[in-house]
Each structure stands twice: as C-alpha cells, then as structure tokens.
Amino acid sequence: MTDGASGLPRVFQLDGASLQAARGLVYDGDPDLAAADQRLLQDAGAARAVGPFSVVSKTCLPPSGDAHDYLSQGPYWWPDPDTEDGLPWVRRDGEANPDREVHDRHALAAMMSAVNTLSAAYYFTDHEDFAECAGLLLRTWFLDPQTRMNPHLQYAQGIPGRCDGRGIGIIDTAQIGFLVDSVSLLGESTAWTDSDQRLLTDWMSQFLEWLTGSAYGLEEKGQPNNHGTWYDVQVLSLALSTGRRDVAQDVADRATRRLESQIEPDGTQPLELARTRSLGYSVMNLTGLFDLADLCAHCGVDLWRHEGDGARSLRGALQWLVENAIDSAWTRPQIDPFDPAWWLPVLRRASQRFQDPVFAGRISRLPGLEDEAAERTHLLYHELAP
C-alpha cells in the first residue's frame, strides 16, 4: 500500500521517505548498500522455504477446545520439584523453559519473521515470488477459515496449575505493529490483493477491539514496565492502520506519561534493570519506546524530543545505555548472552531520528558483528541527506 499521491509506502513505525530513498539507491547499484541488499536476498531465499504456519497445527488444544485459539505458556515458569505432579508451576525469572515452544508462540514468531523478510525483499527487488510467499503466510495465519487464528489472546502465557492465560501474554504479539508495516511493503503486488488487505484489516480491527475491551487488555494497559510499552505500541499501530484515529490519539496523548514513568532523570529504567536479564530488557523496552515515538508522530505528539521533569527522555535513556553497555562493560545482571545485533536498529534509528551520527558511530564498537555492512538496518533506517 502506498500513502496517497506521495507514492511512499504507508508505514507507521518505519519512515516512508527513507525507505523510498534506499530503494532508489539499491536500484541504482549503490555500493554502500550492496552487501545489505545481497544479505536480504539470501535471507528471503531461506524464508521462502518455511511455513506456512497455523495455530491449528499445535498438538494440545487450549481450554476452549478450539484449535483456532492462540495458546502459549509463560516462559519463565517450571514444574515445582517439591510436588508430586509438579503443580502449580513456579517462576524462575529469566530462565526460559524450552517446553514453552510446543504451542503457538514459536510459530507466530517464525511467521512474522518470514513475512518481514519476504516483504522487505519484495519492496527492494519487485520480485513477485517473495510477495507470493509472504501472502501465503499471511493468509494461512490470519485469513483462511480452516487455519486462521481467532483474534484474541485469551490463552496466552498460561501457567499449569495457576491460570489458563494472563494479560501479560499480550506481549507475545509485540511485533504485530512492525508486521503491519511489512504488509504495506507488498505495495501493488498481485500476490496481495485488495480483498486480502480488507480481510486482514478486519482481523486487525477485531483484535484491536479485544485488546482495548477485554479484561486482559485493560490489565496489560496498566503494566508499568515493558509490558505496558508494548501494549501501547500494538494498540497504536493497529488503530492507525485500521483508521481508528480516536483510539490512536488516546494512546499518543498519554505516551509522555508512559515515558516519564519508566525513565529516571539519569536515564536508567529501574523496572528493567531489576530483571535477571537487565541489559536485554532495558534495550527491549527502549526499542518499544522508540516504536511508540514513531507512531506518536502520526498523531502530532513528538515523543522523540520530549523531556519530562528532570530531563527524562528517550535520548537520555539511550545515552545511559551507550555509556554503560557499549563504552564500558555492563556490570548488572545478564544471565544470558546479549546479542550485539539487538543494538543495530536502536542505534541506527536514533542516529536517523535525532540527526546525530554519534549513535550510528557506536556500531563500530560492538563486539561480535561478523559483517555489519550487510545488516538489514542499512536499508530500513537509511539516513537521508540533510
């Protein structure tokens, strides 16, 4: 889909003008983007071979008995070793139970990842086969009556012996906003029709109604940490894409309060630093706040440059993380290895949005990046000339 007469892709978290400029450079054979373009084509080739995925493929039915209902398990919950049947399960923060992947969470993540890759590859190449594969994945998960997911998360992140689902399970669909942008990159492809788009918009509208009207949705809305951030991102993305400007404006108008409640004057995010994966959660929450800032811009709210009491700001939060995790060794709990690639979209987007190359310049200091020039972020967050 394009945004009216401008011809820009109708995206909300990404920047349409930046994407269009990068696409033109790729078509012109720009050597600075050649490696990223080649890697994207390789990734898309692999993505063509996966799926399609469906919620009806799981082997265990949710409590409703309807295989079309999404089902997942709380990631940090384990059988109690002190009870005969292991019930009720007990929490071990940050220690992911591998059994959590037996239901729908892994399939959902794999579907979204593949669609994101295939849609980007189509946008930068116009190769219809990539759009065809993306369309099949989308129709199977969201549209086909035999395989589609019902538009709710009533049974997300359940805990054996404790509950069938939880409000915090809504974070399972945290990346649905980026998926909305990816679908828009399919543009005028014949593989993704107006009818497909109408049906997907209807699904998204129903899901939005569930998010904003269910008990679990209202519970997640009130979460003070990354869960609340990603709830807002989902609601605002879906509201903008489905034409619910009233809902979108409501989220945008309270976004400054969300930011100020999570970021301290010194730039720290206390609720994320309290976790056993403190760096991972801090970067994840800041990524969500960045998404929220891009979405708020469509509602006339400048979250990127907002400063609350004591100069609480996105820039301050990023600067603190850069100083304490890139410029120096991280000294707080991080029980799992931190993937340095998680920094790339944060640093590139900050460089683009703040018009400050110092952030992208920090990428050269990240350890363990094999071929930074081939990273997709060069295409997605291309910096426009001043």
Side-chain angles (χ1 to χ4, degrees):
M1 291 182 296
T2 57
D3 190 10
S6 70
L8 300 178
R10 186 173 178 262
V11 290
F12 300 102
Q13 292 178 205
L14 295 168
D15 181 88
S18 172
L19 287 170
Q20 187 181 66
R23 186 172 186 261
L25 290 171
V26 168
Y27 270 69
D28 290 341
D30 186 284
D32 291 337
L33 296 180
D37 181 48
Q38 186 60 37
R39 171 76 66 79
L40 176 58
L41 289 174
Q42 293 173 357
D43 291 347
R48 290 172 58 187
V50 305
F53 306 94
S54 168
V55 291
V56 302
S57 298
K58 57 180 170 286
T59 58
C60 179
L61 288 176
S64 64
D66 186 349
H68 293 273
D69 288 342
Y70 178 90
L71 179 68
S72 70
Q73 181 178 294
Y76 304 141
W77 292 82
W78 297 73
D80 187 341
D82 297 328
T83 61
E84 184 175 349
D85 60 1
L87 299 176
W89 282 21
V90 294
R91 188 171 187 264
R92 288 151 54 175
D93 184 40
E95 298 181 41
N97 186 334
D99 289 343
R100 75 192 189 283
E101 303 296 0
V102 302
H103 302 313
D104 293 321
R105 195 196 71 87
H106 179 71
L108 173 65
M111 180 274 295
M112 288 187 173
S113 176
V115 169
N116 292 342
T117 295
L118 291 162
S119 298
Y122 168 76
Y123 181 76
F124 284 101
T125 67
D126 281 335
H127 291 175
E128 280 290 329
D129 55 336
F130 295 140
E132 289 170 2
C133 292
L136 175 61
L137 292 171
L138 290 165
R139 283 188 291 271
T140 303
W141 190 273
F142 294 108
L143 308 184
D144 188 328
Q146 301 302 314
T147 57
R148 72 193 291 267
M149 170 187 162
N150 289 332
H152 67 78
L153 294 172
Q154 196 66 30
Y155 306 109
Q157 292 203 15
I159 305 169
R162 293 183 182 272
C163 61
D164 293 334
R166 297 180 294 163
I168 63 174
I170 289 171
I171 205 166
D172 283 10
T173 50
Q175 295 304 313
I176 202 165
F178 195 89
L179 186 76
V180 167
D181 278 11
S182 291
V183 174
S184 292
L185 296 186
L186 295 176
E188 302 302 319
S189 169
T190 57
W192 186 251
T193 67
D194 290 343
S195 176
D196 289 331
Q197 185 59 47
R198 285 193 298 271
L199 289 171
L200 182 61
T201 299
D202 181 64
W203 191 98
M204 298 291 186
S205 295
Q206 293 180 58
F207 185 48
L208 176 62
E209 289 299 318
W210 184 84
L211 286 174
T212 56
S214 68
Y216 282 166
L218 296 175
E219 177 185 320
E220 190 74 340
K221 175 182 177 180
Q223 292 293 328
N225 61 354
N226 67 84
H227 280 270
T229 299
W230 286 106
Y231 172 86
D232 283 353
V233 169
Q234 293 185 63
V235 170
L236 187 44
S237 296
L238 294 170
L240 288 170
S241 66
T242 60
R244 289 297 306 275
R245 298 292 305 190
D246 57 330
V247 176
Q249 196 65 54
D250 176 67
V251 177
D253 287 345
R254 54 182 169 80
T256 56
R257 296 195 297 276
R258 176 74 72 189
L259 181 157
E260 293 173 22
S261 69
Q262 296 195 31
I263 299 174
E264 292 297 300
D266 64 358
T268 57
Q269 302 171 63
L271 293 178
E272 311 310 328
L273 291 175
R275 304 298 296 271
T276 59
R277 295 172 169 178
S278 58
L279 178 56
Y281 272 100
S282 293
V283 173
M284 180 186 74
N285 188 52
L286 188 60
T287 300
L289 290 171
F290 277 19
D291 286 352
L292 192 60
D294 278 334
L295 294 164
C296 283
H298 296 274
C299 299
V301 175
D302 188 356
L303 201 62
W304 283 109
R305 289 167 180 79
H306 175 77
E307 289 193 5
D309 292 342
R312 301 166 190 259
S313 67
L314 293 180
R315 186 175 184 127
L318 176 59
Q319 189 63 47
W320 188 89
L321 283 172
V322 166
E323 292 173 357
N324 287 274
I326 298 178
D327 294 348
S328 59
W330 188 252
T331 60
R332 296 167 185 258
Q334 179 65 34
I335 63 173
D336 283 351
F338 179 83
D339 185 348
W342 294 343
W343 278 116
L344 294 175
V346 175
L347 293 172
R348 277 202 196 288
R349 187 152 45 156
S351 184
Q352 185 185 74
R353 302 301 192 260
F354 295 130
Q355 296 184 330
D356 189 342
V358 69
F359 293 112
R362 283 299 198 279
I363 292 174
S364 63
R365 304 190 62 170
L366 298 176
L369 289 180
E370 295 182 2
D371 187 4
E372 187 275 326
E375 292 292 337
R376 195 180 308 176
T377 51
H378 282 287
L379 302 171
L380 298 181
Y381 303 108
H382 172 72
E383 291 193 53
L384 296 169

